[in-house]
Amino acid sequence: MDNKNEVNYSCPIEYTMNLIAGKWKLVILWHLSQEKVMRYGEIKKSLNNITHKMLSQQLKELEADGFIHRKAYSQIPPKVEYSLTSLGESFFPILESISKWGKHHFKENEK
């Protein structure tokens, strides 16, 4: 889990926010929770306006923090698949709550 364990957090929210910080991490986790296994290109297509560099960075951080598993196949062309780990799956109820909240308030703001 990177050096995030070395920091003394004042509360569990601060710890969690540090792990999921990043514009795309929650969206990546959401798509993986819906599809179960996705290739890099599929993830990129599902995210609007993300750069290759940003997607690569966010995936590496999620993997380092134990949220996702990366499986690389030794073939040409290269094939890499991403899926949620048990830690990532344990985060699904939180993602679902965020999604419900967003749907509710998105509709309210359209009025």
Side-chain angles (χ1 to χ4, degrees), residues 34-108:
Q34 303 301 298
E35 299 297 327
K36 303 300 178 204
V37 176
M38 294 180 79
R39 292 182 65 179
Y40 180 90
E42 294 172 321
I43 297 171
K44 186 153 182 4
K45 284 179 189 174
S46 69
L47 305 173
N48 294 329
N49 303 318
I50 191 168
T51 64
H52 166 72
K53 180 181 176 183
M54 179 58 68
L55 178 56
S56 181
Q57 176 186 339
Q58 299 281 273
L59 289 169
K60 285 177 185 174
E61 289 177 14
L62 286 167
E63 182 183 13
D65 290 334
F67 283 94
I68 64 172
H69 174 73
R70 179 183 186 272
K71 183 174 183 178
Y73 296 87
S74 57
Q75 67 182 49
I76 297 185
K79 178 180 175 182
V80 178
E81 292 179 338
Y82 294 90
S83 59
L84 294 178
T85 62
S86 59
L87 178 66
E89 289 174 1
S90 74
F91 204 73
F92 178 73
I94 297 162
L95 293 171
E96 196 169 39
S97 293
I98 291 170
S99 176
K100 286 178 185 176
W101 186 91
K103 285 177 186 175
H104 174 76
H105 290 284
F106 182 72
K107 289 178 184 175
E108 274 186 8

